[in-house]
Amino acid sequence: MELTATGALSAARDIIGRPLGAVLPRLSEVLAELIPHRAAVELSTHCAHSPFKRTGAPELPITAAELAPLLAAGTAGRPWQGRAVLGGAEREAVALRSDATARGSVLVLVREEGAEPADEPALTVAQLLWDLVTGHFDRFAREALPGALARSRAAADTRARVTAELSTAQAAALSGVLGVLRSRSLDDAAARATATELAVSALIELRAASDRDRSIAEEPAFEAFARLADGLRPMLRHSPVRLELGPPEGPDAARGLPGDVAHGARAVVRALLLVVLEQEAVSRVHVGWTLTEHELRATVRDDGPGLLDACPLGAGSITDRLEALGGRLDMDAVPGWGTTLTATVPLTVPEAPTAALDPLSGLGEREVEVLTHLALGHRNRQIAQELHISESTVKFHVANILNKLGVGSRGEAAALFHRAA
C-alpha cells in the first residue's frame, strides 16, 4: 500500500505526538501499511533506561542480543531486508538503522515467512519515519529535561539492579553445575564433558550479555566528553574567547558513565558556559571533567573579573538537572582572577526525587499515558480503547494516579498535569 506525502507527514505528526510508551506501537501500525510484519523491535542507544523495546507477537522470545549485530553491521540510512536470527530462529526481517543519534539505533520488523520483499518506496518512507522518531527521542536525551531525567534515572537504577541480581543468580547456578560436572566421582566421562562444555559456553554468553548491556546503557567517559566538546566548539567559533578542553585522563577515561549522567552533565556544562560568556573581559575558558570513584566533577573556569553573580546559576534548568541527578553546584570566585564553577554528579543513583521537582515523576509510563487521556477529558471506555486495555485496568491505573498525586478527583489530577506540562 502506498502512503502519500501528506499521509506520511500526518502519520509522523501523530507518532511523535504520542506518549513515549505508545510511540513504537503507533509506528508499527503505520509501517504495517507499507511493510506488513508480525512484530517491531528496537534497540536505541540513546535510551539508557530502556534501550530494548518491542511490540507485537509476544510469543517470539526476541532479545536485545539478537538485535546488537544488526545495529553494528547495518548502514545508517540504507534499509536491509533478509533473514536474521530473531526469537531463536532465522526469520524474514527488515532492519532500519539510523544515525540520528550519536551512537545509532535500529528498528527491526519481523515478517511472515515467505513475505514478498518490500519495495524501494516503502523502505524509503519507513527509513525516514524511523530517522524522525529517533531524532525526536535524541532531542529529549540531549536536552536532559529535569522531569524526564529524574524518571529515566530512577528507571535506569531499577533496570541495572534487576540485571545485576539476575546475572549473579545465573552465574552462581552455572558455577555450581560446573562444580558437579567436573567431579571425577561421576560416571560417563563423555556425557560429563559435553555437559561441562555447554555450561561453560552458557557462562561465557552470560558475561558477554552483561557486557553488551553495559555498552548500550553507558558511554565511555572519553567518548562522552568528546561529544560535549563537539557541541561547545560552535558556541565560540566567532568569539574572541579561547576554549580549552580538559578531557578525563588515565584509566578513568575508558570508564563507563551512565547515559543519564552523561546527558545531564553535558547539558549543565553548556548552560554554565553560556552564563560565563555573558561576562565582560573574559578571554579564556577551560572546561574539564574529572572522575573519582563515586563522582563526576565537571568544571568551567574563566579568567574574568571574578565577580560572577550567583543568581543566574540558581535559576531554572541548571540546578533542576543537578537535583534530578542528586548533584550539586559550587562556585569559587576570586576578584581579579576569575571564577571556577564545579558541577558534581554522583555516579551511583540517588534516591528518587521528590514530587516538588516534578509532580509526575512518581508515575509509571502507563500511568502517564492514562493521565494524558484524563487531561484531555476522556472517559474510561475511551481510554481503554485508545490504549488497548480493559476498563477495569483503566480504573486501577486511575486509582493509583490519584493516590500517587495526592488528589481526590480526576479533575484535580488533570489540572496538576496541565500545570506540570
Side-chain angles (χ1 to χ4, degrees), residues 317-337:
S317 61
I318 295 176
T319 52
D320 285 350
R321 287 187 176 103
L322 287 173
E323 286 177 10
L325 293 171
R328 68 181 188 277
L329 180 65
D330 298 306
M331 183 174 74
D332 182 16
V334 180
W337 289 90

Side-chain angles (χ1 to χ4, degrees), residues 297-312:
R297 294 173 185 164
T299 58
V300 178
R301 185 173 67 249
D302 67 63
D303 63 350
L307 301 173
L308 186 65
D309 184 0
C311 291

Side-chain angles (χ1 to χ4, degrees), residues 88-374:
E90 278 201 351
R91 306 181 194 278
E92 295 286 343
V94 169
L96 308 169
R97 190 186 187 286
S98 173
D99 61 357
T101 63
R103 303 171 70 201
S105 61
V106 66
L107 174 69
V108 177
L109 305 177
V110 184
R111 310 196 68 197
E112 296 286 356
E113 287 299 308
E116 290 292 323
D119 58 31
E120 196 64 30
L123 292 173
T124 299
V125 172
Q127 180 69 58
L128 290 172
L129 284 174
W130 180 235
D131 286 340
L132 179 67
V133 167
T134 54
H136 173 66
F137 282 148
D138 188 57
R139 179 177 65 84
F140 280 107
R142 284 187 287 106
E143 292 181 357
L145 299 176
L149 190 63
R151 289 191 293 272
S152 178
R153 192 76 168 113
D157 176 40
T158 301
R159 175 173 172 271
R161 185 172 61 252
V162 170
T163 300
E165 290 172 353
L166 289 175
S167 296
T168 299
Q170 290 174 335
L174 287 170
S175 297
V177 171
L178 279 173
V180 174
L181 292 173
R182 286 170 173 161
S183 172
R184 295 187 178 184
S185 64
L186 297 177
D187 295 329
D188 198 342
R192 189 169 67 248
T194 300
T196 299
E197 183 178 348
L198 291 173
V200 169
S201 297
L203 192 56
I204 291 173
E205 174 55 30
L206 176 63
R207 290 168 179 164
S210 179
D211 290 341
R212 282 195 299 267
D213 185 79
R214 283 197 301 271
S215 70
I216 291 170
E218 297 180 352
E219 291 185 54
F222 72 89
E223 182 180 307
F225 187 85
R227 290 180 60 188
L228 170 66
D230 289 342
L232 297 184
R233 290 189 184 99
M235 296 170 61
L236 286 87
R237 183 172 296 158
H238 304 291
S239 170
V241 178
R242 185 172 79 255
L243 175 64
E244 298 177 352
L245 299 171
E249 298 178 345
D252 287 333
R255 183 176 175 183
L257 292 180
D260 299 293
V261 170
H263 290 310
R266 284 192 291 262
V268 167
V269 168
R270 288 195 298 267
L272 290 176
L273 182 58
L274 288 174
V275 173
V276 165
L277 292 177
E278 291 179 358
Q279 302 176 99
E280 296 181 359
V282 172
S283 63
R284 178 175 56 85
V285 175
H286 181 276
V287 174
W289 277 10
T290 302
L291 274 77
T292 68
E293 183 180 356
H294 302 293
E295 296 177 333
L296 165 64
R297 294 173 185 164
T299 58
V300 178
R301 185 173 67 249
D302 67 63
D303 63 350
L307 301 173
L308 186 65
D309 184 0
C311 291
L313 304 176
S317 61
I318 295 176
T319 52
D320 285 350
R321 287 187 176 103
L322 287 173
E323 286 177 10
L325 293 171
R328 68 181 188 277
L329 180 65
D330 298 306
M331 183 174 74
D332 182 16
V334 180
W337 289 90
T339 303
T340 299
L341 302 169
T342 303
T344 303
V345 181
L347 299 180
T348 54
V349 181
E351 294 297 321
T354 63
L357 175 62
D358 181 352
L360 309 184
S361 62
L363 301 183
E365 189 172 278
R366 178 63 85 180
E367 290 167 341
V368 172
E369 293 175 356
V370 172
L371 180 57
T372 301
H373 285 282
L374 285 182

